[in-house]
Every structure is written in structure tokens, then in C-alpha cells.
Amino acid sequence: MPQIAIDYSAELDDAFDRGGFVAALHPLVAETVSTKIAACKTRFRRVEEVVVADAPGGDALVHVDISLLAGRTPEVKARLTESVRDLLVAHVRSAAGLTLHLSVEARDLDASYRKI
């Protein structure tokens, strides 16, 4: 915990500084939700095809999903998602001809969550 999944459009391979992003992300998450950096686990998932609304193409996205143990207030989650959104803006540059869609969500892990 936290479990972080980042979906990003394949077209952003060269435009998304994933290493720099995650290096800044883990300390930000740890500080905001009062956990240790060592507890943060992030996986990047490259998405080959993205369709936004009824657009024929030209859109790219990055979506960050942060799953946390229950107990954080809505205000803490909002502060976290706003900070992560700002971090995304700093680490994803526009790729020629693409409209970027950047989003972040923080949610509680289900009570069934277990780890080893």
C-alpha cells in the first residue's frame, strides 16, 4: 500500500518521463497520506489503443489510479489527486498532433485486500 497503477497511451512513450515522474510521485504520496516511501508500489501499463468520446483519433491519455488503505479523508484524497495531477503536467509533454487527457483518482482498497 499504496498500490498505484498508471495507464498511458503508447504514443506518449517518448513524451512521458516515467522515471522522473515515479521518483517524484512516491515521496509525494508518502508525505500526503502519512506512509513510508517503501510502501509505494507503482506499475505502468502501456495502452496501445485509446478512444476518447467520438473522436476519430489524435487523443492520448495518462490516468493514475491510487489505491489506499481506508481511513484517509476526502480532503486528503483531493489534495493528493491535485498534487499528482500537477506532477503529471510537469512530466508529460505534448506530443505533436495529440490532445492530452490527464487524470488522477484516489480510492480506498477493498476490505479484502491482503499482502505478503
Side-chain angles (χ1 to χ4, degrees), residues 61-75:
L61 68 82
V62 179
H63 177 72
V64 180
D65 185 10
I66 305 168
S67 298
L68 305 163
L69 292 174
R72 275 60 181 211
T73 65
E75 294 79 18

Side-chain angles (χ1 to χ4, degrees), residues 26 37 50-51 53 65 92 108 113:
H26 287 177
I37 293 173
V50 171
V51 178
D65 185 10
V92 179
D108 290 344
Y113 174 77

